[in-house]
Amino acid sequence: MTTLEAVDTASPGRSPLGSRPVHRAIPLRRIVTTELRKMFDTRAGFWLMASIGIMAALATSAVVLFAPNQEFTYSSFAAAIGIPTTIVLPLIAILSVTDEWSQRSGLTTFTLVPARGRVLMGKAIACLTTAAVSVPIAFGVGALGNLLGTAIAGVDPVWDLTVANLLTIGLAHVLALLFGFMLGVLIRKSPGAMVAYFVYTFVLPPLTMLLAGSRDWFRKLQPWVDYGYTQSQLYDGALTAQQWTHLAVTLVIWLVVPLAVGLVLVSRTEVK
Amino acid sequence: MITIESVTKTYGSFTAVDHVSFQARPGRVTGFLGPNGAGKSTTMRILVGLTPATSGTALISGRRFTDLPNPGREVGVLLDASAQHPGRTGREVLTVAQRFMGLPHRRVEEMLDLVSLTPQEASRRVRDYSLGMRQRLGIATALIGEPAVLILDEPANGLDPAGIRWMRGLLRDYADRGGTVLLSSHLLREIEVIADDLVLIGNGRIVAQGTKHELLQSAGALVRTSERELVARALTAAGITFSPVGVDGLLTHAEAEPLGKIVFAAGIPVIELRPADSVGLEEMFLELTAETQRQTTNHRQPAGAMS
């Protein structure tokens, strides 16, 4: 009888793939940080992020250079900065979602994290984090512009926005971002979602304004159905209780419901 | 271990995958073979939860893919090497995978090294990658989590001959260490060198499956002769079906031994007589999947058949 010795058949330095350790579920925190990274790590993503700062600086410079002295108020600066951030933040949110389909990177993402709802939750939190950082920076750039502009003009700076004002304006930026996110989830293609956003933000409001001006029934209905109208009030100072109600109702119609539909579609459709 | 049981996928009235069942076992390379549009990719997408199946179950190590807590650590997947954001660098693509899986960062460089992407190449954006480089990057992404199961859809696409040989070695070694490999191809020759088991699919249905050895044996026999007419007559008389191959060959459904007896009894000289092996398998494959072929060739001349 010969004794057979156990032979290690695996090549040196490489373990056999037999027994497997039990793996823990991927924590949401890791999905958020990875999704956040993915928003910056392409050239397009990087410049989109950078453009928030760049456009805030450009808008501020434009006010300093071209606005008459009496308009050197913090609210003019905040308004000037608001335009680029309400364009760029939603674009960032749209692309963070639609890239998975338009660039087909979802094939990898959704095989690494099959729970698509968790991926989207991670993306939403990553987008909100971006807003939480970039909105205060934009306000800061505006404040610097206000100091600089008034110093150049030799007038006293006017701080005509309260903290409450800044908060509601900040909320408007965040809602714009979430609106973009919703369109990304619902449409899942970059061009379509972007066009939808621009149509909704820039084409629709003048039309509803015309309609409200000419049709009495719509003027009464508008606060309950026109999200563009209700969210624009966030820029105009403190909201009344009724205005908050209007905002909440229109948010449900234009943001919550379509987002829910989008989430169902995302969880059911094929990723190709 | 991959277990697919009666998986069906319909799109309206079109059945893309029709009651497909097979297993891919640990320690073996399973080749999933079929013409374009036969349902290979759909089956693989169902397996990894990207496409919902209409009915049936697809399990990996006894669990559905979507129930795996950290799938990348258990299953390496490469479905389409081109499905990457073109603006990301190769290294960044791997870093994203490494982060999702919660692996140490050094794994990224280890994988780049394994698939022979140089640091310069890794720093380039995927948009500037050749298909072969994308395949290497895709294989690196699939392997980074040290999974026990690999699922690769047409991984040899775009690789040069040296690259194909490299990948064969990699997959062989992987299976020899106890890993389960499922790899698809529409080219029999590409897959028969590496596969231990074969699953043939055509028109959404499994048309044949078994070990490569079994399938090769059932593939009939080949005879080459200068008197092809006489052999054809003798075979017809014996009730054996056949088809012409090349200028002087006949591929029969009979095995080599009875074929030899028939030809000997008829007193016909032959140049060569042997089990058909891959020639027969290819013939069988084309026959079985004929309905899904986009074009049919009347006179096939399998390269290498006469050598």
Side-chain angles (χ1 to χ4, degrees):
Chain A
M1 289 285 280
T2 46
T3 311
L4 288 175
E5 281 179 10
V7 181
D8 185 9
T9 48
S11 45
R14 296 195 167 191
S15 56
L17 298 152
S19 63
R20 308 295 298 167
V22 177
H23 296 289
R24 281 182 303 167
I26 301 173
L28 184 62
R29 174 200 294 266
R30 205 194 287 158
I31 298 173
V32 172
T33 53
T34 310
E35 287 299 339
L36 200 56
R37 183 184 178 103
K38 282 164 70 182
M39 290 162 73
F40 287 98
D41 69 359
T42 63
R43 207 170 273 167
F46 173 80
W47 283 109
L48 216 46
M49 290 287 186
S51 70
I52 297 179
I54 294 167
M55 285 170 84
L58 283 177
T60 304
S61 315
V63 175
V64 170
L65 291 175
F66 305 121
N69 284 359
Q70 65 270 24
E71 285 191 13
F72 279 177
T73 64
Y74 188 45
S75 57
S76 341
F77 285 98
I81 290 158
I83 295 164
T85 50
T86 50
I87 295 172
V88 178
L89 280 178
L91 281 188
I92 287 172
I94 286 172
L95 289 176
S96 82
V97 179
T98 56
D99 269 355
E100 302 286 2
W101 280 268
S102 284
Q103 308 290 356
R104 302 183 60 225
S105 51
L107 235 59
T108 307
T109 308
F110 296 123
T111 45
L112 292 178
V113 190
R116 298 181 197 171
R118 274 167 68 81
V119 173
L120 289 178
M121 175 65 86
K123 285 182 188 292
I125 297 173
C127 287
L128 289 173
T129 309
T130 311
V133 173
S134 60
V135 171
I137 288 177
F139 283 148
V141 172
L144 277 178
N146 195 18
L147 288 173
L148 201 71
T150 49
I152 291 170
V155 294
D156 287 332
V158 181
W159 302 101
D160 55 352
L161 289 178
T162 64
V163 174
N165 290 146
L166 288 181
L167 285 178
T168 52
I169 294 172
L171 178 64
H173 291 300
V174 170
L175 288 179
L177 172 132
L178 287 177
F179 195 73
F181 183 82
M182 175 277 287
L183 287 174
V185 173
L186 190 63
I187 297 173
R188 298 192 302 281
K189 288 285 173 197
S190 309
M194 284 195 233
V195 168
Y197 181 75
F198 286 119
V199 166
Y200 189 83
T201 315
F202 298 107
V203 181
L204 220 53
L207 295 179
T208 56
M209 208 160 76
L210 268 177
L211 192 61
S214 61
R215 295 284 184 277
D216 202 39
W217 61 267
F218 185 73
R219 194 179 317 136
K220 288 188 185 121
L221 190 63
Q222 192 177 27
W224 297 100
V225 295
D226 188 351
Y227 174 58
Y229 172 80
T230 55
Q231 66 96 33
S232 71
Q233 293 173 330
L234 288 169
Y235 293 95
D236 305 336
L239 272 68
T240 65
Q242 200 190 18
Q243 283 175 316
W244 282 114
T245 313
H246 289 157
L247 181 66
V249 170
T250 51
L251 266 179
V252 169
I253 299 172
W254 288 93
L255 191 69
V256 178
V257 171
L259 186 61
V261 172
L263 286 174
V264 170
L265 290 176
V266 164
S267 65
R268 287 192 182 167
T269 53
E270 275 187 274
V271 180
K272 286 197 169 186
Chain B
M1 177 76 137
I2 297 170
T3 311
I4 294 186
E5 253 179 48
S6 199
V7 162
T8 298
K9 175 69 186 176
T10 55
Y11 296 95
S13 62
F14 173 67
T15 305
V17 178
D18 193 357
H19 293 91
V20 162
S21 301
F22 66 87
Q23 286 193 334
R25 287 173 288 165
R28 301 181 73 85
V29 176
T30 303
F32 193 27
L33 192 62
N36 295 326
K40 300 185 298 289
S41 298
T42 308
T43 306
M44 286 177 142
R45 276 207 314 276
I46 289 171
L47 183 55
V48 300
L50 290 179
T51 293
T54 309
S55 64
T57 51
L59 301 177
I60 290 165
S61 312
R63 283 171 298 174
R64 283 183 304 177
F65 186 90
T66 47
D67 292 337
L68 299 175
N70 191 347
R73 301 299 308 274
E74 300 185 51
V75 189
V77 182
L78 172 58
L79 293 185
D80 185 345
S82 297
Q84 285 298 345
H85 195 299
R88 224 162 252 145
T89 64
R91 181 179 283 106
E92 185 60 27
V93 167
L94 276 179
T95 304
V96 167
Q98 166 254 320
R99 295 203 155 220
F100 269 134
M101 293 182 215
L103 299 165
H105 192 256
R106 63 177 162 79
R107 290 289 293 158
V108 172
E109 300 304 319
E110 286 173 14
M111 284 299 110
L112 288 171
D113 199 41
L114 177 75
V115 301
S116 310
L117 284 174
T118 64
Q120 290 81 2
E121 287 169 333
S123 304
R124 273 157 60 186
R125 289 174 199 276
V126 174
R127 121 174 48 248
D128 302 321
Y129 275 26
S130 66
L131 182 53
M133 287 164 76
R134 287 175 197 217
Q135 292 286 16
R136 286 171 184 272
L137 181 64
I139 289 168
T141 311
L143 287 172
I144 194 170
E146 297 183 294
V149 177
L150 268 187
I151 296 170
L152 311 171
D153 195 2
E154 307 264 356
N157 264 2
L159 288 177
D160 54 25
I164 290 176
R165 171 176 283 195
W166 161 79
M167 199 188 59
R168 274 183 203 145
L170 186 94
L171 297 181
R172 185 72 264 159
D173 175 58
Y174 183 85
D176 289 346
R177 284 154 58 212
T180 305
V181 182
L182 176 65
L183 99 148
S184 77
S185 176
H186 59 276
L187 298 172
L188 173 68
R189 272 158 211 295
E190 192 178 277
I191 226 169
E192 68 172 346
V193 188
I194 168 88
D196 304 302
D197 298 315
L198 287 174
V199 177
L200 273 59
I201 186 172
N203 223 4
R205 293 203 186 100
I206 302 292
V207 289
Q209 61 176 311
T211 65
K212 183 171 64 182
H213 187 68
E214 285 165 4
L215 288 174
L216 286 178
Q217 275 202 329
S218 65
L222 180 78
V223 57
R224 282 175 60 211
T225 170
S226 52
E227 308 290 340
R228 194 150 77 169
E229 280 300 308
L230 293 177
V231 174
R233 228 172 286 158
L235 288 174
T236 310
I240 291 166
T241 54
F242 57 87
S243 54
V245 174
V247 287
D248 56 2
L250 285 174
L251 181 66
T252 74
H253 285 96
E255 286 189 25
E257 198 187 338
L259 176 65
K261 283 178 180 163
I262 290 165
V263 178
F264 181 72
I268 309 165
V270 300
I271 303 166
E272 185 185 9
L273 193 153
R274 61 174 171 88
D277 288 353
S278 63
V279 185
L281 194 57
E282 184 165 57
E283 194 73 15
M284 183 170 81
F285 173 54
L286 287 168
E287 234 169 72
L288 289 170
T289 61
E291 279 174 61
T292 54
Q293 289 296 312
R294 286 173 202 279
Q295 63 264 349
T296 47
T297 46
N298 292 324
H299 189 74
R300 266 186 299 272
Q301 199 150 2
M306 301 298 137
S307 56

